[in-house]
Every structure is written in C-alpha cells, then in structure tokens.
Amino acid sequence: NFFFNYPGVTLVVDVNQCLEGKKSSDILSVLKSSTSNANDIIPECADKYYDALVKAKALKSERGKLVCYFSTN
C-alpha cells in the first residue's frame, strides 16, 4: 500500500492496534520502534503515554460522531 511507505502512517497504525488490543505494555516498544527520536521516549512514562493516547483516540472518535451527526441532520 502506498501510504504504508511513510513512517508516520506506520506509527499511527501500530499505536491504534496497540490501543484497540488494550496492550498498554506494548506501547513503549511501539513508540520506540517507530520514531527516529527513540531516545526521547521515557520508559517511566509508558503508562502516561498509553493513557494520553487512549484519551486522544476517544476524543477524536467523539468529534467524528458529532461531525457525522451534524452533516446528516
């Protein structure tokens, strides 16, 4: 697939799979393997990264539902 040649897309896909599978223990390895700044990922913050990503995904999902609601009504 054309889009999977870009590292950013791969990161989004990998993070989403981690979140959907509720694999909080995997988030650190996903973030480190998908970024050129792996040294910027702090292992002690893995739970905070996971929680923030779960909240961001939920918020994005809710916003998408609002857009769909208003565009159909």
Side-chain angles (χ1 to χ4, degrees):
N1 192 328
F2 172 76
F3 292 106
F4 289 103
N5 293 328
Y6 295 97
V9 173
T10 302
L11 174 62
V12 171
V13 169
D14 291 347
V15 166
N16 279 330
Q17 287 176 344
C18 186
L19 298 177
E20 289 165 6
K22 298 182 180 177
K23 298 178 180 177
S24 61
S25 59
D26 293 344
I27 197 68
L28 188 61
S29 61
V30 167
L31 293 174
K32 282 191 162 226
S33 68
S34 299
T35 182
S36 60
N37 298 324
N39 293 332
D40 293 339
I41 306 298
I42 303 167
E44 294 81 13
C45 295
D47 289 338
K48 290 181 182 181
Y49 296 143
Y50 182 83
D51 292 343
L53 289 164
V54 167
K55 288 177 187 175
K57 184 172 176 143
L59 181 62
K60 186 174 180 181
S61 177
E62 285 301 312
R63 286 183 180 162
K65 289 177 186 175
L66 286 173
V67 169
C68 288
Y69 174 79
F70 287 116
S71 66
T72 59
N73 289 321

